[in-house]
Amino acid sequence: MKKHNFSSGPAILPQSVMEEAAKAVVDWNGIGLSVLEMSHRSKEFTAVMEEAQQLTKELLHIGDDYCVLFLTGGASSQFYMTAMNFLEQNETACYIDTGNWSAKAIHEGKIFGNIEVIASSKDRNYVYIPKEFTLPSHAKYLHITTNNTVQGTQFHHIPNVDVPIVADMSSDIFSRPIDIKKYGLIYAGAQKNMGPAGTTMVIVRKDLVGKLSRQIPTMLDYATHIKKGSMFNTPPVFPVFVSMLTLRWLKAQGGVEAMEQINIAKAKMLYDEIDRNSCFRGRVDEADRSLMNVTFFAETPELEKAFYEICEAEHISQIKGYRTIGGFRASIYNAMPTSSVEHLVQVMKRFEEQA
Ligand SMILES: *Cc1c(COP(=O)(O)O)cnc(C)c1O
């Protein structure tokens, strides 16, 4: 039987998308070929790439001053590609440090320019989103991680600043509307909220690219991929195909506006139970709780162990917290059905009654 999948990534995808993708692996639309064995230059695949880009723009209300790319190398490659493409060695970018992934972006950025960390929540183990900071006038861009997959925090207000924001949206892209004007570049690994592992979406404001004196290897230069419509070399055809199917599904659900309402309701259901249930407590500050990754602890190690066992028996899969944090992390991305969250809440209630 299908399990209730709370994995943080690679994560749950809509069941209908997986069924359609599975069929296309064997015979794509009855053309007698698999989607895996066709030229990326074929008219069939070119149409997939164009639809994926077009759906992204439509769903997020993005105009033609931005370009949508499907790259490889994971979100982790964007940690350095952003700085490499936007920052001269003597220029400064500012970063808000809200967790493991921001810290990695900071580390990589430092290779290519001056990185100033203007706010950090490391002092309290990243259980909140810092809200007070001053952006120095010499900042070229501000980097933020909109949703902190490991810690379970999320920016619910995107800062208003005078420079473009570069945002790692790996774990909350397409979960809510965005105000594209604020952003110079958005990147997101597909495997959290959009598709299978293997491609990274980059949405980049075209006028910011190609301005540096630094020589950039062709494959790492956004200008290359913009010029070639994300088809400079062989793109990751299958991850792009499945992401496109997921975006079609998302549009059919009513787009990111409708999805946000569903996500708010799902998260509220789970947080309400964590707050009510005497066996559990939430990990992060209430105001900054993530709608995507719900992190919580059991009140004692015994309860923690017992609850893992019950989850296993109840077909609740991959709910263990990140290895350095422990406890539980229920990732409830777009594709997570409300019924699975209800199931988890029921199991928590029964657990309390029996404890
Ligand atoms: C998973 C994740 C990454 C790393 O993605 P890779 O594709 O594995 O490189 C980066 N940032 C955030 C916020 C993530 O959740």
Side-chain angles (χ1 to χ4, degrees):
M1 81 170 264
K2 184 76 187 176
K3 290 186 175 164
H4 301 277
N5 180 7
F6 290 89
S7 170
S8 60
I12 190 168
L13 289 170
Q15 194 62 25
S16 62
V17 165
M18 278 187 289
E19 281 161 19
E20 201 177 338
K23 268 195 216 138
V25 166
V26 180
D27 185 359
W28 186 17
N29 284 341
I31 62 173
L33 291 168
S34 163
V35 64
L36 301 181
E37 56 179 5
M38 291 197 48
S39 166
H40 58 292
R41 310 272 176 213
S42 62
K43 69 176 188 323
E44 288 85 355
F45 185 75
T46 313
V48 168
M49 178 60 93
E50 281 167 6
E51 187 174 345
Q53 291 167 329
Q54 201 275 326
L55 279 169
T56 302
K57 287 185 163 180
E58 183 183 332
L59 289 163
L60 297 177
H61 311 293
I62 298 174
D64 288 335
D65 39 345
Y66 289 79
C67 197
V68 178
L69 309 173
F70 288 89
L71 305 182
T72 51
S76 299
S77 290
Q78 296 310 310
F79 297 159
Y80 62 83
M81 265 180 80
T82 45
M84 186 192 248
N85 279 267
F86 290 155
L87 214 52
E88 300 279 5
Q89 199 71 49
N90 62 357
E91 288 181 321
T92 299
C94 291
Y95 282 58
I96 301 184
D97 172 27
T98 50
N100 304 37
W101 295 119
S102 335
K104 287 189 177 160
I106 290 162
H107 179 266
E108 297 291 299
K110 282 180 178 166
I111 302 170
F112 297 99
N114 300 321
I115 301 299
E116 269 180 48
V117 179
I118 53 167
S120 171
S121 49
K122 198 171 180 187
D123 58 337
R124 285 177 52 219
N125 269 323
Y126 297 124
V127 294
Y128 70 105
I129 298 290
K131 292 169 197 77
E132 302 297 317
F133 61 86
T134 319
L135 191 74
S137 58
H138 57 265
K140 190 116 184 252
Y141 63 83
L142 171 68
H143 182 285
I144 61 171
T145 310
T146 53
N147 185 71
N148 297 279
T149 325
V150 170
Q151 285 78 20
T153 59
Q154 187 175 23
F155 278 85
H156 294 299
H157 170 75
I158 304 297
N160 292 312
V161 289
D162 294 331
V163 296
I165 294 179
V166 171
D168 179 355
M169 284 195 196
S170 291
S171 50
D172 66 354
I173 190 141
F174 296 117
S175 70
R176 58 180 176 180
I178 60 166
D179 179 4
I180 188 66
K181 289 189 305 298
K182 290 188 174 184
Y183 300 97
L185 184 143
I186 293 167
Y187 61 93
Q191 71 273 22
K192 312 282 168 53
N193 209 18
M194 186 173 80
T199 191
T200 305
M201 174 180 279
V202 172
I203 301 168
V204 55
R205 216 177 84 194
K206 291 183 209 164
D207 66 313
L208 297 174
V209 167
K211 300 269 160 78
L212 297 194
S213 60
R214 166 184 299 122
Q215 258 209 315
I216 300 174
T218 310
M219 271 295 286
L220 301 182
D221 190 342
Y222 294 126
T224 304
H225 300 287
I226 293 173
K227 203 162 112 206
K228 296 290 183 179
S230 213
M231 296 273 252
F232 169 72
N233 69 323
T234 316
V237 290
F238 193 61
V240 173
F241 176 69
V242 182
S243 298
M244 185 278 284
L245 295 179
T246 310
L247 296 178
R248 273 188 192 164
W249 171 86
L250 184 55
K251 186 178 166 183
Q253 307 303 303
V256 293
E257 288 79 10
M259 195 48 71
E260 179 183 41
Q261 296 312 312
I262 299 170
N263 287 332
I264 289 171
K266 279 191 303 196
K268 180 173 186 319
M269 199 191 306
L270 188 47
Y271 284 119
D272 281 353
E273 179 59 18
I274 291 166
D275 292 342
R276 190 207 59 79
N277 194 311
S278 59
C279 297
F280 302 102
R281 74 193 137 85
R283 173 173 188 269
V284 306
D285 287 5
E286 227 178 291
D288 303 323
R289 285 171 160 179
S290 167
L291 301 186
M292 298 277 100
N293 309 98
V294 177
T295 50
F296 58 105
F297 293 117
E299 290 294 357
T300 67
E302 292 71 32
L303 285 172
E304 178 172 310
K305 186 164 172 291
F307 191 64
Y308 283 135
E309 284 164 11
I310 292 209
C311 284
E312 186 84 8
E314 293 284 353
H315 311 290
I316 290 169
S317 168
Q318 307 181 85
I319 198 174
K320 222 180 169 88
Y322 189 77
R323 56 196 144 78
T324 56
I325 292 180
F328 303 92
R329 171 175 51 177
S331 298
I332 51 174
Y333 299 118
N334 286 351
M336 165 67 64
T338 301
S339 57
S340 286
V341 180
E342 281 163 356
H343 176 68
L344 174 59
V345 167
Q346 287 311 317
V347 170
M348 290 166 79
K349 282 190 202 297
R350 260 186 280 137
F351 182 72
E352 184 189 32
E353 282 160 19
Q354 288 154 15

